[in-house]
Amino acid sequence: MAVGNSTRSVSKIAAIATAAALVFLLAILGSWATQSYFSTVSRAEERVSASAKIVASHVSWIHQIATQTLRRIDDSLRSADLSFDGGVRDLKQATEALPDGVLAYVVDQAGRTLYSTDPDLKPVDITDRDYFTAVRDGQLEYTSSLLISRTNGSQIFVYSRRVIRAGAFAGAIMVAIPVEVLQPIWETVDLGGNYTISMIRDDGMLVARYPLAKTTLDMSGYLLFTDYLKNAPSGTYQADASPVDGVSRLVAYRTVEGTPFIAVAAADYTFLMHSFWQTLLMLSLVALVIVGGAGTAGWWIAHLLRAQEKQSQQLADALEANELLLREIHHRVKNNLQSVVSLVRLQMRGSEGFDALNSRIKSMIAVHEQIYKHDAYAAIDASELVRAVVSEALAAHDAQFEVRYDLCPQLVSAEKATAFALIVNEVVTNAVKYAYPSNRAGDLDIGLSAPLADGKTTLTISDRGAGFDPTTVKTGTGTRLIDGAVRQLAGKFSFEAQGGTHFTATLKLA
């Protein structure tokens, strides 16, 4: 039914509008989350990049201190006899700039320790260490990768320098730096969470890391060296799993100019993204509330629409039932009036006034017939009613009239239709009785104009008959009936006798 279709259309529109609003809100939340993500990542990259710069500056400082110490010790040894039967005069002065915990050594060509700043020195064999073999084999200066000290078991890395006498290898100078020297740098950086800082040799060997690594590591095959360093001397990248401990970190690297090192600061990615995850959780909760609210609102709207559809259907059913009852009522009224006509015919056949009464009742029957025939309970077509009334009036008097109609279709309200029908019936009946009294045949012109601005319409009924003398006309039942009906329709009327009889009435039909 139309009611159901209308309700379903409203329901569909409401669902589409709700879905559009929901998508719009979720799009805003998604945009917010995306912006928050990129903003968090950008801040994290800036932070680890700044930390990498700090690490790089300290690595440069360590390198300069170590190499300068090696050279000062070498300068001190130039005036000494390397048979080492006496002390090195300037060794203490040459090592005084070293940080606490950094130790210096001098060994001969066989790797035997001659001098050391280590008060707990223990004799160890270093001839297999790369920092010794490299300078023994001709390299002037060398920096080792991460080592485990054979004297105390700590993690260290060693700078070494070749000592040359008379053009030949005479020994080596070493500066052993404990990895713990990175702790103050690590504390200064303080990236939070499980973060690290590292020194990596440019060939990929791990030199130092804090917190301490479990062992040394060759990183030459890692993506830092295979991808990133080939493209830029510094930058950032996300490591899904650290090659040392498997932790996901955001890594910033920087080549330390003038040194063989890469400085690395790696922040705990989960820690860095914590603020984003909090924001995402908040947005997810908001989205959940919105979706839940939209779902609840949609359910409630659907419930209301179903209730409205049910109520509308009930009203439509009630209206249909009422229309059926009204149709039946008007049909029965018509039948009852026809029964009255039959009774009148039996009782008054041949009596004076029978034809007039019969015609008036039939005009009322025509009103009810028009109403139930067209299911028009508020208003009916005035032009069709005129034709029906005229037809009944002529038939009631067995008149053979030629009727010319000029009717403008318009509505007459149900409560005014009977009065309008009686006016038409009375005027037509008068024409039948008095205009052509000899043979009950003649002409009629009936017009109904369109309503004017004041809502009134003009009804005209004219014949070309004998006419009448207004001074001799007596006011009878028909005239009084016309006068009362016209006043009921808030109008006025007039008769003119000139070349026939002309009836004109202005009426308000609606």
Side-chain angles (χ1 to χ4, degrees):
M1 294 184 65
V3 173
N5 292 335
S6 175
T7 304
R8 282 190 288 272
S9 297
V10 172
S11 178
K12 184 176 181 180
I13 292 172
I16 292 173
T18 302
L22 181 61
V23 169
F24 178 71
L25 289 173
L26 292 179
I28 291 176
L29 294 178
S31 176
W32 188 355
T34 301
Q35 184 178 3
S36 176
Y37 171 78
F38 286 113
S39 177
T40 303
V41 171
S42 179
R43 288 195 302 269
E45 288 177 345
E46 292 174 357
R47 188 174 178 185
V48 293
S49 294
S51 299
K53 288 181 181 180
I54 296 173
V55 175
S57 64
H58 282 80
V59 168
S60 178
W61 172 77
I62 292 171
H63 181 75
Q64 290 175 11
I65 289 293
T67 55
Q68 288 174 9
T69 299
L70 291 175
R71 292 164 190 172
R72 283 197 297 267
I73 293 175
D74 192 16
D75 290 340
S76 300
L77 293 175
R78 292 185 188 280
S79 60
D81 183 358
L82 288 185
S83 62
F84 304 115
D85 53 358
V88 180
R89 292 174 307 201
D90 298 322
L91 187 59
K92 183 176 179 180
Q93 182 179 358
T95 59
E96 62 185 359
L98 293 175
D100 293 340
V102 178
L103 302 175
Y105 301 88
V106 179
V107 299
D108 63 12
Q109 66 270 30
R112 295 170 298 189
T113 303
L114 303 177
Y115 303 108
S116 175
T117 59
D118 184 1
D120 300 319
L121 179 64
K122 298 176 183 178
V124 292
D125 182 12
I126 63 168
T127 55
D128 60 336
R129 294 288 203 179
D130 59 349
Y131 58 81
F132 178 79
T133 59
V135 296
R136 182 194 63 191
D137 294 340
Q139 193 167 334
L140 179 60
E141 290 185 345
Y142 180 81
T143 306
S144 75
S145 60
L146 178 64
L147 299 172
I148 303 299
S149 172
R150 290 174 177 171
T151 59
N152 57 19
S154 62
Q155 290 187 4
I156 61 171
F157 57 98
V158 178
Y159 281 81
S160 61
R161 182 179 176 85
R162 179 184 176 90
V163 177
I164 303 172
R165 294 294 181 266
F169 175 66
I173 307 167
M174 283 81 72
V175 173
I177 303 175
V179 171
E180 281 83 354
V181 75
L182 297 184
Q183 182 176 358
I185 308 172
W186 179 78
E187 293 173 347
T188 300
V189 168
D190 193 11
L191 290 171
N194 191 9
Y195 70 100
T196 68
I197 60 172
S198 304
M199 290 172 59
I200 306 173
R201 211 163 56 187
D202 54 15
D203 62 354
M205 295 301 297
L206 179 63
V207 175
R209 180 184 185 271
Y210 204 88
L212 303 178
K214 294 181 179 180
T215 183
T216 188
L217 181 67
D218 183 358
M219 299 178 62
S220 58
Y222 188 59
L223 54 83
L224 172 59
F225 287 87
T226 58
D227 295 337
Y228 292 100
L229 281 170
K230 289 182 178 180
N231 297 322
S234 62
T236 60
Y237 66 93
Q238 183 180 346
D240 293 332
S242 167
V244 177
D245 55 17
V247 176
S248 175
R249 292 188 177 92
L250 182 64
V251 180
Y253 65 93
R254 177 173 292 273
T255 300
V256 184
E257 295 183 3
T259 75
F261 301 121
I262 311 298
V264 174
D268 188 333
Y269 189 76
T270 302
F271 178 83
L272 289 178
M273 298 301 292
H274 180 68
S275 60
F276 166 72
W277 295 120
Q278 285 185 321
T279 300
L280 186 62
L281 176 61
M282 178 193 71
L283 294 178
S284 299
L285 292 175
V286 172
L288 185 62
V289 170
I290 291 175
V291 171
T296 303
W299 174 85
W300 182 245
I301 291 173
H303 170 74
L304 292 178
L305 288 174
R306 284 194 297 271
Q308 181 182 4
E309 183 176 1
K310 183 178 179 181
Q311 185 178 19
S312 299
Q313 187 61 49
Q314 291 173 343
L315 291 174
D317 293 341
L319 177 60
E320 186 176 356
N322 288 338
E323 289 177 350
L324 181 62
L325 290 173
L326 286 171
R327 188 183 305 116
E328 181 66 20
I329 287 170
H330 284 285
H331 184 65
R332 290 191 180 187
V333 169
K334 175 204 167 188
N335 292 340
N336 290 339
L337 288 174
Q338 287 177 332
S339 298
V340 170
V341 169
S342 298
L343 292 173
V344 169
R345 182 181 293 113
L346 291 173
Q347 186 70 30
M348 300 180 61
R349 186 72 173 178
S351 302
E352 183 180 357
F354 167 74
D355 289 340
L357 180 59
N358 183 52
S359 179
R360 289 163 186 164
I361 294 175
K362 285 191 173 182
S363 68
M364 297 170 65
I365 291 174
V367 172
H368 291 283
E369 187 174 25
Q370 290 294 316
I371 289 175
Y372 83 75
K373 183 186 295 184
H374 300 287
D375 289 336
Y377 305 106
I380 59 178
D381 189 336
S383 62
E384 289 191 15
L385 180 60
V386 169
R387 293 176 186 273
V389 171
V390 171
S391 177
E392 290 289 344
L394 296 178
H397 295 85
D398 296 324
Q400 304 299 317
F401 273 45
E402 181 180 347
V403 183
R404 290 179 291 274
Y405 293 101
D406 182 16
L407 306 175
C408 179
Q410 58 189 289
L411 297 177
V412 56
S413 63
E415 63 268 17
K416 296 181 179 180
T418 299
F420 179 66
L422 288 173
I423 293 171
V424 174
N425 176 76
E426 291 302 317
V427 176
V428 171
T429 299
N430 285 341
V432 170
K433 291 170 63 177
Y434 303 114
Y436 308 100
S438 60
N439 55 13
R440 292 187 178 247
D443 298 329
L444 274 179
D445 294 307
I446 302 177
L448 187 65
S449 70
L452 301 175
D454 59 358
K456 291 184 177 181
T457 189
T458 301
L459 171 68
T460 60
I461 303 176
S462 303
D463 62 61
R464 295 181 182 86
F468 67 95
D469 183 358
T471 60
T472 63
V473 174
K474 296 181 180 179
T475 302
T477 302
T479 303
R480 290 195 301 273
L481 185 60
I482 292 172
D483 181 65
V486 168
R487 281 189 283 105
Q488 186 177 345
L489 299 181
K492 59 183 180 179
F493 73 98
S494 65
F495 282 99
E496 294 181 4
Q498 185 176 0
T501 301
H502 305 282
F503 172 80
T504 301
T506 56
L507 310 168
K508 192 164 186 179
L509 301 182

